[in-house]
Amino acid sequence: MDQHQDLIRDVPLLARLPEADLSALASRGRVRSYRSGDLIFREGEPGDSLHMVVEGQVRIVVLSPLGEEVTVTYLGQGECVGDLALLDGRPRSASAIASQATKTLVVTRGDFRRWLRERPQAAFALLETLSLRVRRTDEALADLALLDLPSRLAKRLLSLSGARQPAKGGSPAKLRITQAEMASMMGVSRESVNKQLNAFAREGWVSLGRGSVTVTDAKALRDLA
Amino acid sequence: MDQHQDLIRDVPLLARLPEADLSALASRGRVRSYRSGDLIFREGEPGDSLHMVVEGQVRIVVLSPLGEEVTVTYLGQGECVGDLALLDGRPRSASAIASQATKTLVVTRGDFRRWLRERPQAAFALLETLSLRVRRTDEALADLALLDLPSRLAKRLLSLSGARQPAKGGSPAKLRITQAEMASMMGVSRESVNKQLNAFAREGWVSLGRGSVTVTDAKALRDLA
DNA sequence: GCCTTTCTATGAAGTACTTCACACAACGGC
DNA sequence: GCCGTTGTGTGAAGTACTTCATAGAAAGGC
């Protein structure tokens, strides 16, 4: 399962499209800037645009039934925010908030559909990409139902570190993330994440700092997951 | 919302296509018959075909990390089995087993791609369908992480009964399903499902039989979920 | 009919998480 | 430099599930 992790990051919606098609799409977009903490869109709003992250980082949050904010994921440069809205025109299923100073390229649904109509080939690539995404989400669902916290945490650490440190050997990747954020993403308490991270640290698999986790033994984590 | 069940049920891959396009695709397929218990395909095999269920029922199972079979969902008449393989050509992410005598219409990846090439419009419909499926799975993921068993069970009961009893008023729908199957689908123990179902029964929200659950107060379940 | 298998039902003990309570360390503002 | 804020670390108690054990009732084979 975890060998698919690399796909997670390098398969944003448009990754498989030829460069020319991509820039044609980009040329129809407008650039928007956000300061850290700015709301990009809110859960439940009608969604008719896609944001490609040009610079910075975006936090995706949903409201839990109990009314607390739960961070689903973070999206960085080159990734797409709110892409599903382009395809099905449904309301936003989550809110997007700039977690740093961020620039996005906004493409509207209308522009996108015109662009797609002129490029039937692009639809194939999109179908393939979306299909991979369904697989990945299904897999996450199975993980959540079947795996315990240590395994899930190990997977998550690998996925996060793999993403930021692509195609490099054994060199350790320092993740800039708080334990509270990890807990929120995984749907467990901060205390549990803390205790498990410290257990990993005692084994020498990770090293911890204030607001950071560094994976030092990826193999051990992979074995666990 | 809960899990794969409903999404695959009311949003089969090809639901939004015009009738003519559908029958053009169907005409390229071959019909295959399976007896109850026959394996249709196995997890991990290369996937290059789609099965549309013409008659009968198919059980989708994955192997958990501990080696036990977990039923992900059941697919019935008109639904598609192994549809993702057509789009991305990846190995099967689950096994499919005929849970009754079943007939399927098999379409190969090659045939599908030729068919799709001749119908650029169909790609739009497929993109929309897949997009909805991603949303539903994401939602199921959030449910699993955030909701407790009573809520999830209530949702699941509604989703199952809604699927079999579409667009009808207050009339009770009798689900033909064992508690063990429900437990396997939801990733909890059979005993937990049993105890919770009996709690619902004591409230008068469902009535139980051997191999069946009947929702008698859908509103109460909805309030809980 | 009986016997085997399948399914439901339930209590007792164990486990993995949770919440709560608190301590302390690092950083930022001024 | 001090002080409020944010983040980490940890134990105690509680909760929601698990597994295990056991029982009985319904259905199917022959």
Side-chain angles (χ1 to χ4, degrees):
Chain A
M1 278 185 166
D2 42 329
Q3 73 273 21
H4 301 319
Q5 289 299 3
D6 43 341
L7 298 173
I8 291 177
R9 276 277 157 163
D10 30 353
V11 187
L13 182 62
L14 309 165
R16 294 177 171 260
L17 299 176
E19 190 61 37
D21 287 351
L22 260 183
S23 55
L25 181 61
S27 72
R28 307 207 184 180
R30 285 177 13 244
V31 173
R32 288 215 49 175
S33 296
Y34 301 90
R35 282 163 310 179
S36 179
D38 280 359
L39 184 73
I40 299 176
F41 53 75
R42 190 189 306 274
E43 186 175 350
E45 283 179 359
D48 64 345
S49 62
L50 162 81
H51 292 253
M52 299 163 71
V53 180
V54 175
E55 186 185 310
Q57 191 176 47
V58 177
R59 194 168 127 240
I60 307 296
V61 299
V62 298
L63 236 52
S64 87
L66 302 121
E68 32 179 10
E69 284 191 345
V70 176
T71 301
V72 177
T73 188
Y74 288 83
L75 299 175
Q77 192 180 319
E79 298 182 295
C80 293
V81 184
D83 43 6
L84 296 186
L86 252 62
L87 303 172
D88 61 21
R90 299 235 154 192
R92 302 296 187 187
S93 56
S95 301
I97 298 168
S99 60
Q100 311 170 358
T102 297
K103 281 197 202 328
T104 66
L105 187 68
V106 186
V107 177
T108 65
R109 185 164 153 84
D111 280 342
F112 175 75
R113 294 195 79 103
R114 270 186 291 280
W115 172 85
L116 188 54
R117 224 185 304 276
E118 295 162 12
R119 288 169 188 74
Q121 288 306 316
F124 281 89
L126 291 180
L127 279 172
E128 186 171 348
T129 303
L130 259 190
S131 168
L132 286 170
R133 185 147 153 200
V134 171
R135 278 179 196 266
R136 174 171 74 78
T137 317
D138 279 349
E139 193 181 295
L141 199 57
D143 284 357
L144 188 53
L146 301 172
L147 268 46
D148 59 1
L149 177 58
S151 304
R152 270 160 52 217
L153 184 57
K155 271 202 173 194
R156 175 68 65 147
L157 286 172
L158 289 170
S159 137
L160 289 171
S161 69
R164 275 151 230 273
Q165 190 89 2
K168 256 235 169 161
S171 66
K174 185 170 187 174
L175 303 173
R176 300 236 108 268
I177 189 170
T178 68
Q179 298 177 0
E181 285 170 330
M182 293 212 67
S184 165
M185 276 198 248
M186 301 181 58
V188 295
S189 71
R190 182 197 58 80
E191 291 90 334
S192 295
V193 167
N194 174 269
K195 282 162 189 168
Q196 193 56 53
L197 279 176
N198 276 291
F200 287 168
R202 272 189 291 278
E203 301 281 348
W205 300 346
V206 302
S207 66
L208 305 176
R210 184 187 163 86
S212 77
V213 183
T214 309
V215 174
T216 50
D217 188 346
K219 185 173 179 318
L221 290 179
R222 225 179 323 268
D223 287 349
L224 183 70
Chain B
M1 268 214 238
D2 205 15
Q3 238 98 345
H4 316 241
Q5 190 77 22
D6 42 344
L7 69 90
I8 299 178
R9 205 156 262 295
D10 44 0
V11 188
L13 181 63
L14 310 164
R16 298 177 169 259
L17 299 176
E19 190 61 37
D21 287 351
L22 260 184
S23 53
L25 181 61
S27 72
R28 306 205 183 184
R30 285 180 9 248
V31 173
R32 288 217 48 177
S33 296
Y34 301 90
R35 282 163 309 178
S36 179
D38 281 358
L39 185 72
I40 300 176
F41 53 74
R42 190 189 304 275
E43 185 174 352
E45 284 179 357
D48 63 345
S49 61
L50 162 80
H51 292 252
M52 298 163 72
V53 180
V54 175
E55 185 185 311
Q57 192 176 47
V58 177
R59 192 168 130 240
I60 306 295
V61 301
V62 299
L63 236 52
S64 88
L66 303 121
E68 31 178 10
E69 284 192 344
V70 176
T71 300
V72 177
T73 189
Y74 288 83
L75 299 175
Q77 192 182 318
E79 298 181 294
C80 292
V81 184
D83 44 5
L84 296 186
L86 254 61
L87 303 172
D88 62 20
R90 298 235 152 197
R92 303 294 187 187
S93 56
S95 302
I97 298 168
S99 60
Q100 311 169 358
T102 296
K103 282 197 198 336
T104 67
L105 186 69
V106 187
V107 178
T108 66
R109 186 164 152 85
D111 280 341
F112 175 76
R113 294 195 79 103
R114 271 186 290 280
W115 171 85
L116 188 55
R117 223 186 303 279
E118 294 161 14
R119 285 168 190 76
Q121 288 308 315
F124 280 90
L126 291 179
L127 280 171
E128 186 170 349
T129 303
L130 264 187
S131 167
L132 285 170
R133 185 150 155 197
V134 172
R135 276 180 199 266
R136 300 254 192 154
T137 315
D138 279 349
E139 208 175 346
L141 202 55
D143 284 357
L144 189 54
L146 300 172
L147 268 45
D148 59 2
L149 176 59
S151 304
R152 270 160 52 217
L153 183 57
K155 274 200 174 196
R156 171 62 63 137
L157 287 172
L158 290 170
S159 132
L160 288 172
S161 67
R164 275 151 228 272
Q165 190 89 359
K168 256 243 175 153
S171 67
K174 183 169 187 175
L175 303 173
R176 299 236 111 266
I177 189 170
T178 69
Q179 298 177 0
E181 285 170 330
M182 294 212 67
S184 166
M185 279 197 244
M186 301 180 61
V188 294
S189 71
R190 185 196 57 77
E191 289 91 332
S192 295
V193 167
N194 174 266
K195 281 162 189 167
Q196 193 55 53
L197 278 177
N198 275 292
F200 286 168
R202 273 190 288 278
E203 300 281 348
W205 299 347
V206 301
S207 66
L208 305 178
R210 182 185 164 89
S212 77
V213 183
T214 309
V215 175
T216 49
D217 189 345
K219 187 175 178 317
L221 291 178
R222 226 181 321 269
D223 288 350
L224 183 69

